[in-house]
């Protein structure tokens, strides 16, 4: 357990509205990630961060933005939600392990439904 | 680039059956290999890992051996239980990876029936 919480855990919203999901960690890890998980697609990386105010795009970043103003918080914003963004969203951190590799630890997820 | 290919599911077994989930990888560096498990309604959690060739990772009765010659990291368990029903993800990470990112397989859903 790397002290990762996500809020909200469930949200239903309407098409066209902005939505912000929050990820909070308590262990000052440098690297943080947002993924979405959909049936048949596994995990897909949306955005990631390698430090405060340092973020970059993942493989499915269109329609999403992120911000990281503090080490412990990583926010994911859907600028104008669409039904295709209905998904389960996971936040993760990575922690250095042995041999220079990194282990990832995941939050509990946010289930988002866009009507 | 790095990639992970794992056995397509779903896999359905009876309790006490033997489990194998295949995983092969492609990597440019010297990766560490991982299996993560996701129980219903939860996030992924690390199940086991191996950091160099011929290492065996083990946890909760699951094992996987890092085979460099076949670029594989197959997950095995000798006798599955209903509580092992979950989605299993194979993954890799190496020291050349930008920002500590991991590469994940697509996941294999395991259902164990009593």
């Amino acid at each position: 357990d790397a002290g990762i919480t996500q809020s909200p855990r469930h949200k239903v919203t309407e098409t066209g509205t902005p939505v912000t999901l929050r990820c909070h960690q308590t262990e000052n890890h440098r690297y943080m990630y947002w993924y979405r998980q959909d049936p048949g697609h596994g995990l897909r990386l949306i955005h990631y961060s390698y430090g405060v105010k340092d973020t970059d795009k993942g493989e499915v970043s269109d329609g999403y933005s992120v911000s990281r103003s503090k080490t412990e918080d990583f926010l994911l914003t859907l600028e104008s939600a669409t039904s295709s963004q209905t998904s389960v969203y996971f936040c993760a951190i990575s922690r250095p392990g042995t041999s220079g590799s990194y282990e990832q630890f995941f939050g509990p997820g946010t289930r988002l439904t866009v009507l | 680039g790095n990639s992970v290919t794992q056995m397509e599911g779903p896999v359905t077994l009876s309790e006490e059956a033997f489990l194998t989930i295949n995983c092969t990888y492609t990597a440019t560096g010297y990766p560490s290999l991982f299996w993560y498990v996701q129980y219903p309604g939860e996030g992924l959690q690390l199940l086991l890992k191996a950091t160099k060739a011929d290492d065996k990772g083990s946890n909760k009765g699951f094992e996987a051996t890092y085979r460099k010659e076949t670029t594989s990291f197959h997950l095995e368990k000798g006798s599955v239980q209903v509580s092992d029903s979950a989605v299993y993800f194979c993954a890799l990470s190496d020291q050349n990876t930008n920002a500590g990112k991991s590469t994940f397989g697509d996941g294999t859903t395991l259902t164990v029936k009593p």
Side-chain angles (χ1 to χ4, degrees):
Chain A
D1 185 354
I4 304 168
T5 57
Q6 294 185 230
S7 58
R9 294 293 313 280
H10 301 271
K11 186 169 182 68
V12 179
T13 191
E14 294 190 349
T15 298
T17 60
V19 176
T20 295
L21 309 183
R22 179 180 183 242
C23 177
H24 179 79
Q25 54 133 336
T26 60
E27 297 185 356
N28 289 322
H29 294 291
R30 179 181 177 190
Y31 301 126
M32 298 184 75
Y33 314 86
W34 277 107
Y35 294 91
R36 60 179 290 174
Q37 185 178 29
D38 306 286
H41 291 278
L43 284 176
R44 292 185 287 177
L45 182 64
I46 304 170
H47 280 279
Y48 62 98
S49 170
Y50 42 97
V52 173
K53 297 185 178 170
D54 287 327
T55 65
D56 207 346
K57 296 178 180 181
E59 60 184 296
V60 290
S61 59
D62 287 349
Y64 301 95
S65 62
V66 290
S67 66
R68 193 166 178 202
S69 58
K70 298 185 289 185
T71 299
E72 58 266 35
D73 289 326
F74 192 32
L75 304 180
L76 176 72
T77 297
L78 288 63
E79 294 139 8
S80 177
T82 68
S83 58
S84 65
Q85 294 175 311
T86 292
S87 186
V88 181
Y89 291 86
F90 288 100
C91 174
I93 63 94
S94 63
R95 194 160 70 189
T98 55
S99 303
S101 65
Y102 286 83
E103 303 170 6
Q104 294 213 354
F105 294 84
F106 288 78
T110 294
R111 183 172 295 275
L112 176 68
T113 301
V114 183
L115 301 176
Chain B
N2 296 341
S3 67
V4 174
T5 302
Q6 63 180 101
M7 174 177 168
E8 286 192 25
V11 174
T12 302
L13 295 173
S14 297
E15 207 164 24
E16 300 184 2
F18 184 85
L19 168 71
T20 300
I21 301 177
N22 291 337
C23 172
T24 58
Y25 68 91
T26 302
T28 53
Y30 299 93
S32 293
L33 303 174
F34 306 88
W35 278 101
Y36 290 83
V37 59
Q38 183 183 30
Y39 298 106
E42 299 183 8
L44 281 71
Q45 55 185 276
L46 182 64
L47 178 61
L48 54 84
K49 66 179 181 181
T51 58
K52 61 182 187 297
D54 300 325
D55 268 4
K56 178 184 283 187
S58 62
N59 186 25
K60 298 182 180 180
F62 291 89
E63 294 183 339
T65 301
Y66 189 140
R67 302 285 188 201
K68 190 174 180 182
E69 64 277 13
T70 55
T71 61
S72 64
F73 192 55
H74 306 322
L75 182 69
E76 296 182 337
K77 187 174 186 183
S79 176
V80 294
Q81 306 301 312
V82 172
S83 57
D84 294 326
S85 297
V87 183
Y88 293 83
F89 292 87
C90 186
L92 69 81
S93 168
D94 68 42
Q95 57 194 348
N96 298 318
T97 302
N98 178 32
K101 289 186 287 182
S102 291
T103 301
F104 290 88
D106 287 342
T108 301
T109 300
L110 170 66
T111 301
V112 180
K113 297 191 172 181

